[in-house]
Amino acid sequence: YYYRDLMTSECTSCTDEHRFITPVIFIIVLILMLAIASAVAFYGPLSQYYGRRKDRITQMRDQGTMLLVTGQIIVNLQDANRQSGGKGFPEPYDSAVSAVEMVALDIF
């Protein structure tokens, strides 16, 4: 079985051992986030730090969410353009969007 890699426009084997890298990275990031959340909730000094700066932390979280969603939209627009027969975005924008293509979080 093969699939077409959108970045290189080449067919790649589905049995390639690199196909597991994205889920592994996702699980590692999830474990780190859980560890940080546990440290903030149960470790006194971090809990106090969070309490004093809760508004700023919430604001940064919301801004990060907006950046992530915007990035997903931009990457998926390029993907849709290529799948409909287009050549993608013009350079250097194409290279920049391709470099952050993992933001799309497309695991299917």
Side-chain angles (χ1 to χ4, degrees):
Y1 296 102
Y2 294 91
Y3 70 95
R4 182 173 172 230
D5 188 349
L6 292 176
M7 289 188 67
T8 62
S9 296
E10 296 178 359
C11 290
T12 305
S13 174
C14 290
T15 60
D16 189 14
E17 62 271 357
H18 297 294
R19 64 189 166 121
F20 293 113
I21 197 76
T22 301
V24 169
I25 291 173
F26 183 75
I27 290 170
I28 290 171
V29 168
L30 182 65
I31 290 171
L32 286 173
M33 288 174 51
L34 288 173
I36 291 170
S38 297
V40 168
F42 300 114
Y43 185 61
L46 282 179
S47 181
Q48 293 170 359
Y49 178 84
Y50 177 76
R52 288 191 309 265
R53 293 171 177 82
K54 185 176 182 178
D55 292 336
R56 181 69 177 144
I57 292 171
T58 302
Q59 180 185 17
M60 290 181 67
R61 182 199 65 204
D62 293 344
Q63 289 173 348
T65 301
M66 287 188 294
L67 284 173
L68 182 67
V69 170
T70 303
Q72 290 174 331
I73 291 169
I74 291 170
V75 168
N76 285 322
L77 280 175
Q78 177 173 339
D79 185 37
N81 185 351
R82 286 184 178 163
Q83 287 185 4
S84 66
K87 294 185 178 182
F89 297 134
E91 287 296 330
Y93 194 64
D94 183 54
S95 297
V97 172
S98 294
V100 294
E101 200 167 54
M102 65 170 253
V103 171
L105 299 177
D106 187 14
I107 59 174
F108 298 106

